[in-house]
Amino acid sequence: MTDTTPTYLILPSSSTITEGSTLTTLISTTNVTQGTNIYYTLSGTGIDRHDLWEGELSGYITSDSNGDFSLSHRLSNDYMIEGNEHLKIKL
């Protein structure tokens, strides 16, 4: 019997990113068909909508012809020294 359970692998473009830069995230899948919608959220200590110049903290994305997804978020450069912030991506 073939396993048809969907799997998702979250692949951010970088594990460290500076304010003002863009984070692109690929979600590679197996057993997900084109046109599938999933809900995502970005969260973390000190993370709020003001941390993003472009992109949303949550929403739905639709899979491409390979069943994969991608997200793009440009981080705000607020010129404040805040220390490291940790961003979590959840599906």
Side-chain angles (χ1 to χ4, degrees), residues 31-77:
N31 300 316
V32 174
T33 59
Q34 177 181 1
T36 299
N37 292 317
I38 60 169
Y39 184 76
Y40 74 90
T41 60
L42 303 181
S43 63
T45 304
I47 302 295
D48 62 27
R49 64 180 179 84
H50 297 100
D51 289 303
L52 299 179
W53 182 258
E54 293 174 351
E56 300 294 332
L57 287 175
S58 63
Y60 286 93
I61 50 176
T62 304
S63 62
D64 64 18
S65 61
N66 296 318
D68 296 331
F69 303 85
S70 77
L71 296 165
S72 182
H73 294 89
R74 192 165 116 200
L75 305 181
S76 296
N77 190 349

Side-chain angles (χ1 to χ4, degrees), residues 19-20 46 48 50-51 75-82 85:
E19 291 185 342
D48 62 27
H50 297 100
D51 289 303
L75 305 181
S76 296
N77 190 349
D78 58 14
Y79 302 101
M80 294 176 61
I81 298 174
E82 303 165 292
E85 295 175 301

Side-chain angles (χ1 to χ4, degrees), residues 13-29:
S13 57
S14 179
S15 62
T16 304
I17 190 165
T18 57
E19 291 185 342
S21 298
T22 299
L23 174 66
T24 303
T25 305
L26 173 66
I27 299 146
S28 179
T29 70

